[in-house]
Amino acid sequence: MKKAINDFIVRFANVNGTGSASANFLFAKTIFRMGIPVTPKNIFPSNIQGLPTWYEVRVSEKGYLGRREGIDLMVCVNPQSMAQDVKNVKSGGYFMYDSTKKLPAEYLRDDIHYLGVPMMEMSNEAFSDPRKRQLLKNIIYVGALAKLLNMEVEAIKVLIGEQFEGKAQLIDANMKALQLGLDYAAKHFDFPLPFHLEKRDLIVDKILVDGNTACGLGAVYGGATVMAWYPITPSTSVAEAFEHYCKMFRIDPDTGEHKYAIIQAEDELAAMGMVIGASWNGARAFTATSGPGVSLMNEFLGLAYFAEVPAVLVDVQRAGPSTGMPTRTQQPDLLLAAYASHGDTKHVLLLPASPKECFDYTALSLDLAERLQTPIMVMTDLDLGMNDHISEPFHWEDGRQYDRGKVLSAEELEHVGKFGRYLDVDGDGIPYRTYPGTHPTKGAFFTRGTSKDEYAAYTEDGAAYKRNMDRLLKKWDTAKSLVPKAQLYQEKTNQK
Amino acid sequence: MSYLKPLFKHPRLPKNKLGYTLKEYEGSLSTLCAGCGHDSISAAIVQACYEMAVEPHKVAKISGIGCSSKTPTYFLGNSHGFNSVHGRMPSVATGASMANKDMQYFGVSGDGDSASIGMGQFVHVIRRNLNMVYIVMNNGCYGLTKGQDSATADQGSKSKAGSINPFQAIDLASMAIELGASFVAQSFSGDKQQLVPLIKAAMQHKGFAFLNVISPCVTFNNNPGSTKSYDYVREHIEATSTLDFVPEMPEIKASYESGKSSRIALHDGSLIQLNKLATDWDPENRISAVNALQQARAKQEILTGLLYVNSEWKDLHGVLNTYHKPLNRLDESDLCPGEENLLSINAGYR
Ligand SMILES: Cc1ncc(C[n+]2csc(CCOP(=O)(O)OP(=O)(O)O)c2C)c(N)n1
Ligand code: SF4
Ligand SMILES: [Mg+2]
């Protein structure tokens, strides 16, 4: 096999629910800490325990972080998927397996190299607690890989220390397992492999984080106070991240009171209804869902569009149609979202390409929703949302004010003549609104999904209907001037 | 029919504690059919809010879709209203309440809106004990789509076209008690004397207050053989009690008096003064309330009045322990953790 520095793919084949995730992440994060671009992907079934999962790590000094064909090194600790895993190794590549049991003859290929490590046996000898044996077996293979791929052992140790801070016993056990792996590989294999790592300084100040965390955090920074959601892969961790950071920053230290309200709704219809109710009443609110949820939210999205109520939806897309492949990535909701609901609706979509943009756009969507008084959808997908990506660090300009849009206060209402909720006063298609409870006698209006005139009164008059629809189009044009400019990424070598 | 109401105000109209006349609690003129029960309920809401001297702008009216859901246009014209989508009023009300805990929320719905398309949301808003008044204007049919049977139509009830409803009826009041509603009452649009104090008590109750109000549809379900017609309801009505609502009177100790008369204290010290008519019924005991309903049903009676109340349970804000200031009043300084915290978050992802 050709020598390759910082350019290869390692795939781990594990069993769902056996604690392999943190060992695999330790592997990827160490490479990140070595300053080398890396992209890990979880490939998992719609299942909680028992079915095969894979974790694929692509290392690319050039920063190519999409998936490519050809596995250079397979680490297979799952007998169930072994036949498939052996087949998937690139010719000339390597296959690491648990040699506690002999490898069945049918898995032997003559064009790949085998690296047998008796992980289970080593773990059983070294540790007595059955759960620990299972978990530390995973660290043993990380140790073996460290030797074979030239990983910086000190970086692994620092990470283990961070992960188990304050739990000395666990740190010791992990260090021991790591050393067992390192020693075994040193004794039994030629190292390093032809493809391996060399320390670089290509990461600089970047971070390694998933998009859902970034969205949840962006909502905290963007001032969302109400979040309603219904569990669905791959969006659930947006709600979890929001809650995590709310608990960190939004609990009053004196009283323990929460400056947020999170409701796990009975379904996505209710989740969107809650967002609309809260936004109508002047709170910043959002929900997160995936395709099936967006399908259910259609009627409400049309209401928010036509009644001009802000709403923010993070759509973490997954493979459709229908239930489709719930744990696989796809971007099949774009049209559904762009024209959600019946009638002439058009929605503003923001399409982030990195965790940094997930953070920025979620915060921005809360501004845009209030500025434009309409739903804003942040369209991410399972890959961006649930996998760790190298990203520019998050940044917040202190002193940045939320754009609360055109909202009249009690004093302002004193000075306007007749308040017209749907009057285009400024010529940008965006009317003024009032929050309930603002003024004892002025500014109250009736919000409805039916056709109405400039003063929010029900009407079926054709001319009034047309004026309203035309104004909504004008608002659409205004929206174009407010959304971030599209960025086109292109391979430099393809340019003329 | 819709036409403009006269703006002229009689100078000597009585005023409430806030200096408002009844007029200030009215809405625009109803476009419902003359004689529709829903209009009487609107009038009772106006009366209750006037008597309670609530500030109109501190009330928000939220509804679904139906003739019943149109009524928020016809009461409290100085309050914000939201006519949402069919069956989804509870979620909109939930969001609204989360945004601002300092307002009074009136949810208005129909039997189609709550017992069919909106059943899921109805059930869940009860579980959460949202602090609101939830009124179902129950006519046993879909008025706005021209009189189809609804899920609250009694089995055996005859429609205007002459067909007999073959299905079991959903009893929203029993269901609400079962699901943990903390205030449940039943009434009749034609009994303003009972309805007004019930609405007042419901408004004062902190938690989910459910009012199932039988409200005949004169156009589609008022025929002989219908169990939701004016005549039928008048003949079969049976009240648990007569009652009065007494706003905050701390000097009176809340206690049961012997005999038929009793008082129930609400969380803020206001009292419901009950004159019990039903025997074996204790409004603070769920089993007894459900029993009373079941027994009335067996006798083909419509039991009205207060059915159940519990002022101990936490409402949703209490459960979520939300901030004492309404969430919609918080700004950047309350909500945004700032760049310094972000720097350490970034560091955690390196
Ligand atoms: C999604 C949806 N389906 C159907 C309708 C049509 N629709 C309008 S009102 C109504 C029934 C209303 O019945 P109810 O809630 O009992 O109100 P009522 O008119 O009897 O007061 C229906 C089915 C609708 N507006 N939306
Ligand atoms: S159709 Fe029935 S419910 Fe609707 S307004 Fe007329 S009487 Fe009332
Ligand atoms: Mg009805």
Side-chain angles (χ1 to χ4, degrees), chain B residues 59-82:
Chain B
V59 179
K61 316 162 284 184
I62 303 170
S63 62
I65 295 289
C67 296
S68 36
S69 291
K70 283 182 176 185
T71 60
T73 328
Y74 317 136
F75 60 83
L76 301 178
N78 284 324
S79 308
H80 276 66
F82 196 156

Side-chain angles (χ1 to χ4, degrees), chain B residues 101-112:
Chain B
K101 53 162 61 162
D102 281 355
M103 292 191 41
Q104 172 79 55
Y105 295 96
F106 264 105
V108 176
S109 179
D111 42 320

Side-chain angles (χ1 to χ4, degrees), chain A residues 299, chain B residues 38 65-68 86 110-113 117 139 141-145:
Chain A
E299 188 187 25
Chain B
H38 301 352
I65 295 289
C67 296
S68 36
H86 198 18
D111 42 320
D113 202 59
I117 193 168
N139 53 15
C141 72
Y142 291 3
L144 195 58
T145 50

Side-chain angles (χ1 to χ4, degrees), chain A residues 205 245 257-258 281 396 402, chain B residues 324 328 332 339 349-350:
Chain A
D205 67 341
Y245 287 113
E257 290 170 345
H258 297 186
N281 213 3
W396 189 263
Y402 297 149
Chain B
H324 55 277
N328 72 352
E332 292 84 350
E339 173 71 357
Y349 291 115
R350 287 203 178 100

Side-chain angles (χ1 to χ4, degrees), chain A residues 14-230:
Chain A
N14 304 95
V15 182
N16 222 359
T18 55
S20 53
S22 60
N24 295 347
F25 181 68
L26 179 66
F27 174 80
K29 185 91 182 231
T30 303
I31 300 173
F32 173 81
R33 289 258 175 110
M34 290 173 71
I36 306 161
V38 62
T39 175
K41 307 258 182 248
N42 276 298
I43 304 160
F44 60 104
S46 186
N47 161 267
I48 301 302
Q49 201 181 40
L51 287 188
T53 65
W54 291 271
Y55 189 74
E56 189 175 300
V57 179
R58 180 170 183 186
V59 180
S60 167
E61 175 152 336
K62 290 195 180 127
Y64 295 149
L65 300 175
R67 290 181 71 192
R68 72 147 160 86
E69 301 260 282
I71 313 292
D72 299 286
L73 168 57
M74 179 75 76
V75 181
C76 181
V77 280
N78 183 4
Q80 207 188 340
S81 62
M82 205 172 261
Q84 191 184 343
D85 292 332
V86 168
K87 221 183 287 168
N88 280 335
V89 180
K90 176 163 144 182
S91 188
Y94 290 76
F95 186 82
M96 180 185 282
Y97 64 100
D98 185 353
S99 59
T100 306
K101 279 194 193 141
K102 197 166 177 288
L103 196 65
E106 69 258 38
Y107 296 151
L108 294 175
R109 273 171 59 182
D110 49 18
D111 63 335
I112 61 174
H113 309 272
Y114 287 85
L115 304 164
V117 182
M119 306 165 194
M120 202 65 241
E121 189 185 309
M122 289 163 74
S123 192
N124 286 351
E125 264 170 36
F127 309 103
S128 53
D129 168 26
R131 178 70 189 150
K132 257 198 197 140
R133 285 174 168 175
Q134 170 75 29
L135 293 174
L136 292 166
K137 184 183 88 173
N138 301 324
I139 302 298
I140 293 177
Y141 69 65
V142 173
L145 289 172
K147 188 52 88 191
L148 291 167
L149 296 172
N150 230 358
M151 289 167 78
E152 197 183 346
V153 177
E154 196 44 42
I156 307 178
K157 289 184 173 169
V158 170
L159 275 165
I160 290 175
E162 289 171 11
Q163 192 185 343
F164 301 108
E165 208 186 311
K167 297 174 191 154
Q169 264 194 337
L170 273 177
I171 295 181
D172 288 350
N174 274 273
M175 297 296 187
K176 185 170 161 191
L178 183 71
Q179 199 57 47
L180 283 173
L182 281 162
D183 294 347
Y184 188 91
K187 196 164 153 200
H188 295 88
F189 309 129
D190 290 337
F191 60 89
L193 299 181
F195 50 88
H196 57 260
L197 301 161
E198 263 177 29
K199 211 172 166 187
R200 292 285 184 269
D201 193 13
L202 298 168
I203 299 296
V204 199
D205 67 341
K206 293 201 179 69
I207 57 175
L208 186 65
V209 68
D210 63 273
N212 284 357
T213 297
C215 287
L217 184 62
V220 173
Y221 272 75
T225 52
V226 178
M227 202 253 167
W229 67 294
Y230 188 76

Side-chain angles (χ1 to χ4, degrees), chain A residues 258, chain B residues 127-129 313-322:
Chain A
H258 297 186
Chain B
R127 283 178 67 227
R128 297 189 183 104
N129 199 22
W313 290 334
K314 276 187 187 171
D315 78 331
L316 183 56
H317 276 288
V319 172
L320 297 180
N321 194 20
T322 50

